[in-house]
Coordinates of all heavy atoms in Angstrom, one line a residue:
V1 N -69.6 -2.0 19.7 CA -70.0 -1.3 18.5 C -68.8 -1.1 17.6 O -68.9 -1.3 16.4 CB -70.6 0.1 18.9 CG1 -70.8 1.0 17.7 CG2 -72.0 -0.1 19.6
R2 N -67.7 -0.7 18.2 CA -66.5 -0.5 17.4 C -66.1 -1.8 16.6 O -65.7 -1.7 15.5 CB -65.4 0.0 18.3 CG -64.1 0.3 17.5 CD -62.9 0.6 18.5 NE -61.7 0.8 17.7 CZ -60.9 -0.2 17.4 NH1 -61.3 -1.5 17.7 NH2 -59.8 0.0 16.7
A3 N -66.2 -2.9 17.3 CA -65.8 -4.2 16.7 C -66.8 -4.7 15.7 O -66.5 -5.7 15.0 CB -65.5 -5.2 17.8
G4 N -68.0 -4.1 15.7 CA -69.0 -4.7 14.8 C -69.9 -5.8 15.4 O -70.6 -6.4 14.7
V5 N -69.7 -6.0 16.7 CA -70.6 -7.0 17.3 C -72.0 -6.4 17.5 O -73.0 -7.1 17.3 CB -70.0 -7.4 18.7 CG1 -70.9 -8.4 19.5 CG2 -68.6 -8.0 18.6
L6 N -72.1 -5.1 17.8 CA -73.4 -4.4 17.9 C -73.5 -3.4 16.8 O -72.4 -2.8 16.4 CB -73.6 -3.8 19.2 CG -73.6 -4.7 20.5 CD1 -73.7 -3.9 21.8 CD2 -74.6 -5.8 20.4
E7 N -74.7 -3.0 16.4 CA -74.9 -2.0 15.3 C -74.5 -0.6 15.9 O -74.6 -0.4 17.1 CB -76.3 -2.0 14.8 CG -76.9 -3.4 14.4 CD -77.4 -4.2 15.5 OE1 -77.9 -3.6 16.5 OE2 -77.3 -5.4 15.5
E8 N -74.2 0.3 15.0 CA -73.8 1.6 15.4 C -74.9 2.3 16.2 O -74.6 3.1 17.1 CB -73.5 2.5 14.1 CG -72.2 2.2 13.5 CD -71.0 2.8 14.2 OE1 -71.3 3.7 15.0 OE2 -69.9 2.5 13.9
D9 N -76.2 2.1 15.8 CA -77.3 2.8 16.5 C -78.0 1.9 17.6 O -79.2 2.1 17.9 CB -78.3 3.2 15.4 CG -78.9 2.0 14.7 OD1 -78.4 0.9 14.8 OD2 -79.9 2.2 13.9
Y10 N -77.2 1.0 18.1 CA -77.8 0.1 19.1 C -78.4 0.9 20.3 O -77.7 1.8 20.9 CB -76.8 -0.9 19.7 CG -77.3 -2.0 20.5 CD1 -77.7 -3.2 19.9 CD2 -77.5 -1.9 21.9 CE1 -78.3 -4.3 20.6 CE2 -78.0 -3.0 22.6 CZ -78.4 -4.1 22.0 OH -78.9 -5.2 22.7
D11 N -79.7 0.6 20.7 CA -80.3 1.3 21.7 C -80.0 0.7 23.1 O -80.7 -0.2 23.6 CB -81.9 1.3 21.5 CG -82.6 2.1 22.6 OD1 -81.9 2.7 23.5 OD2 -83.8 2.1 22.6
F12 N -78.8 1.1 23.6 CA -78.3 0.5 24.8 C -79.2 0.7 26.0 O -79.4 -0.2 26.8 CB -76.9 1.0 25.0 CG -76.2 0.3 26.2 CD1 -75.9 -1.0 26.2 CD2 -75.8 1.1 27.3 CE1 -75.3 -1.6 27.3 CE2 -75.2 0.5 28.4 CZ -74.9 -0.9 28.4
E13 N -79.7 1.9 26.2 CA -80.5 2.3 27.4 C -81.7 1.4 27.6 O -82.0 1.0 28.7 CB -80.9 3.7 27.3 CG -79.8 4.7 27.5 CD -79.0 4.6 28.8 OE1 -79.7 4.4 29.8 OE2 -77.8 4.5 28.8
S14 N -82.3 1.0 26.5 CA -83.5 0.1 26.6 C -83.2 -1.3 26.9 O -84.1 -2.1 27.1 CB -84.4 0.2 25.4 OG -83.7 -0.4 24.3
H15 N -81.9 -1.7 26.9 CA -81.5 -3.1 27.1 C -80.7 -3.3 28.4 O -80.1 -4.3 28.6 CB -80.6 -3.6 26.0 CG -81.4 -3.8 24.7 ND1 -81.5 -2.8 23.8 CD2 -82.1 -4.8 24.2 CE1 -82.2 -3.2 22.8 NE2 -82.6 -4.5 23.0
K16 N -80.8 -2.3 29.3 CA -80.2 -2.5 30.6 C -81.2 -2.2 31.8 O -82.0 -1.4 31.6 CB -78.9 -1.6 30.8 CG -79.2 -0.1 31.0 CD -77.8 0.6 31.2 CE -78.1 2.1 31.5 NZ -76.8 2.9 31.5
E17 N -81.0 -3.0 32.8 CA -81.9 -2.9 34.0 C -81.0 -2.9 35.3 O -80.2 -3.8 35.4 CB -82.9 -4.1 34.0 CG -83.8 -4.1 35.2 CD -84.6 -5.4 35.2 OE1 -84.4 -6.3 34.4 OE2 -85.5 -5.5 36.1
L18 N -81.2 -1.9 36.1 CA -80.5 -1.8 37.3 C -81.3 -2.6 38.4 O -82.4 -2.3 38.7 CB -80.3 -0.3 37.8 CG -79.6 0.6 36.7 CD1 -79.4 2.0 37.3 CD2 -78.3 0.0 36.3
V19 N -80.6 -3.5 39.0 CA -81.3 -4.4 40.0 C -80.5 -4.5 41.3 O -79.3 -4.2 41.3 CB -81.5 -5.9 39.4 CG1 -82.4 -5.8 38.2 CG2 -80.1 -6.5 39.1
P20 N -81.1 -5.1 42.4 CA -80.4 -5.2 43.7 C -79.3 -6.2 43.6 O -79.1 -6.9 42.6 CB -81.5 -5.6 44.7 CG -82.8 -5.5 44.0 CD -82.5 -5.5 42.5
M21 N -78.6 -6.3 44.7 CA -77.4 -7.2 44.9 C -77.9 -8.7 44.8 O -79.0 -9.0 45.2 CB -76.9 -7.0 46.3 CG -75.4 -7.1 46.4 SD -74.4 -6.3 45.2 CE -72.9 -6.5 46.1
Q22 N -77.0 -9.6 44.3 CA -77.3 -11.0 44.3 C -76.8 -11.6 45.6 O -75.7 -11.2 46.1 CB -76.5 -11.6 43.1 CG -77.1 -11.4 41.8 CD -77.9 -12.6 41.4 OE1 -79.1 -12.6 41.5 NE2 -77.3 -13.7 41.0
P23 N -77.4 -12.7 46.1 CA -76.9 -13.4 47.2 C -75.4 -13.9 46.9 O -75.2 -14.4 45.8 CB -77.8 -14.6 47.4 CG -79.1 -14.3 46.7 CD -78.6 -13.3 45.6
G24 N -74.5 -13.8 47.9 CA -73.2 -14.3 47.7 C -72.2 -13.3 47.0 O -71.0 -13.5 47.0
D25 N -72.8 -12.2 46.5 CA -71.9 -11.1 45.9 C -71.6 -10.1 46.9 O -72.2 -9.9 47.9 CB -72.7 -10.5 44.7 CG -72.3 -11.2 43.4 OD1 -71.6 -12.1 43.4 OD2 -72.9 -10.7 42.4
V26 N -70.5 -9.4 46.6 CA -70.0 -8.2 47.5 C -69.9 -7.0 46.6 O -69.7 -7.1 45.4 CB -68.7 -8.6 48.1 CG1 -68.9 -9.6 49.2 CG2 -67.6 -9.0 47.1
P27 N -70.2 -5.8 47.2 CA -70.3 -4.6 46.4 C -69.0 -4.1 45.8 O -68.9 -3.6 44.7 CB -70.9 -3.5 47.4 CG -70.7 -4.1 48.7 CD -70.6 -5.6 48.6
V28 N -67.9 -4.2 46.6 CA -66.6 -3.7 46.1 C -65.5 -4.7 46.4 O -65.4 -5.3 47.5 CB -66.2 -2.4 46.9 CG1 -64.8 -1.9 46.4 CG2 -67.3 -1.3 46.8
T29 N -64.7 -5.1 45.3 CA -63.6 -5.9 45.5 C -62.4 -5.3 44.7 O -62.5 -5.0 43.5 CB -63.7 -7.4 45.0 OG1 -63.9 -7.4 43.6 CG2 -65.0 -8.0 45.6
Y30 N -61.3 -5.0 45.5 CA -60.1 -4.7 44.7 C -58.9 -5.0 45.6 O -59.0 -5.0 46.8 CB -60.1 -3.3 44.1 CG -59.7 -2.1 45.0 CD1 -58.5 -1.5 44.9 CD2 -60.6 -1.5 45.9 CE1 -58.1 -0.4 45.6 CE2 -60.3 -0.4 46.6 CZ -59.0 0.2 46.5 OH -58.6 1.3 47.2
A31 N -57.8 -5.1 44.9 CA -56.6 -5.7 45.5 C -55.6 -4.7 45.9 O -55.3 -3.8 45.1 CB -56.0 -6.7 44.5
D32 N -55.0 -4.9 47.1 CA -53.7 -4.3 47.4 C -52.6 -5.2 46.9 O -52.4 -6.3 47.4 CB -53.6 -4.1 48.9 CG -52.3 -3.6 49.4 OD1 -51.4 -3.4 48.5 OD2 -52.1 -3.4 50.6
T33 N -52.0 -4.8 45.8 CA -51.0 -5.6 45.2 C -49.6 -5.2 45.5 O -48.6 -5.5 44.8 CB -51.2 -5.6 43.6 OG1 -51.2 -4.3 43.2 CG2 -52.6 -6.2 43.3
S34 N -49.4 -4.4 46.5 CA -48.1 -3.8 46.8 C -47.0 -4.9 47.1 O -45.9 -4.7 46.7 CB -48.2 -2.8 48.0 OG -48.7 -3.5 49.1

């Protein structure tokens, strides 16, 4: 919205859908970079 890609009043809530996991995906990934 800030960059002007979407309008200021874009109705974000009506454009998102929460769905189950995809095959091959994992729920959490993060790195120990020590």
Side-chain angles (χ1 to χ4, degrees):
V1 169
R2 181 185 174 278
V5 176
L6 301 178
E7 308 85 32
E8 285 282 347
D9 59 350
Y10 191 89
D11 182 4
F12 183 64
E13 288 303 314
S14 69
H15 289 92
K16 74 177 183 187
E17 179 188 3
L18 304 181
V19 298
M21 217 46 172
Q22 283 264 101
D25 266 359
V26 289
V28 180
T29 65
Y30 84 101
D32 175 354
T33 57
S34 55

